[in-house]
Amino acid sequence: QYIAGKYLLTNPYAIQYSSKVYEKNFRVSFKFKLHDSGQIVWLCMVSANLVGVIESQLKIGDTVAFGQKVGNFLLGSTVVIVSENRRMKWKIQKGDIVNIMDQLN
């Protein structure tokens, strides 16, 4: 789902100034149902100033394999992941740099 919005900065200073940057910026949102567990996972790509282009070839109902590319930024920005599973164990910590092909949990 494409969600219209602005292209505000997402650096730490901007986030301190306005905590709603991720709500206001242009976004592309995906909802996935995991094949093995049936869990729902949401992934939201958030654009920002100078990184406004988000590309994705996925259509509603497409099947996505683990590790398959779902979209990309032309310069990079922020990805927010939300899961139903509160007990999900992450291999990363806040502030870690993540390679897009790394397994996160």
Side-chain angles (χ1 to χ4, degrees), residues 1-72:
Q1 175 182 12
Y2 288 87
I3 304 165
K6 300 179 184 226
Y7 297 94
L8 303 172
L9 294 171
T10 58
N11 62 40
Y13 175 76
I15 300 302
Q16 283 183 335
Y17 175 72
S18 173
S19 63
K20 297 188 179 211
V21 167
Y22 297 121
E23 296 173 38
K24 294 178 180 178
N25 280 5
F26 172 79
R27 306 171 301 287
V28 178
S29 178
F30 303 91
K31 179 181 176 182
F32 300 102
K33 183 176 183 180
L34 302 181
H35 179 70
D36 58 341
S37 66
Q39 262 189 92
I40 302 296
V41 175
W42 293 267
L43 182 142
C44 186
M45 300 174 74
V46 184
S47 69
N49 188 283
L50 303 175
V51 290
V53 179
I54 300 173
E55 298 178 327
S56 178
Q57 302 302 318
L58 291 180
K59 306 280 186 277
I60 293 173
D62 283 354
T63 299
V64 179
F66 181 81
Q68 179 181 336
K69 178 177 161 180
V70 296
N72 63 280

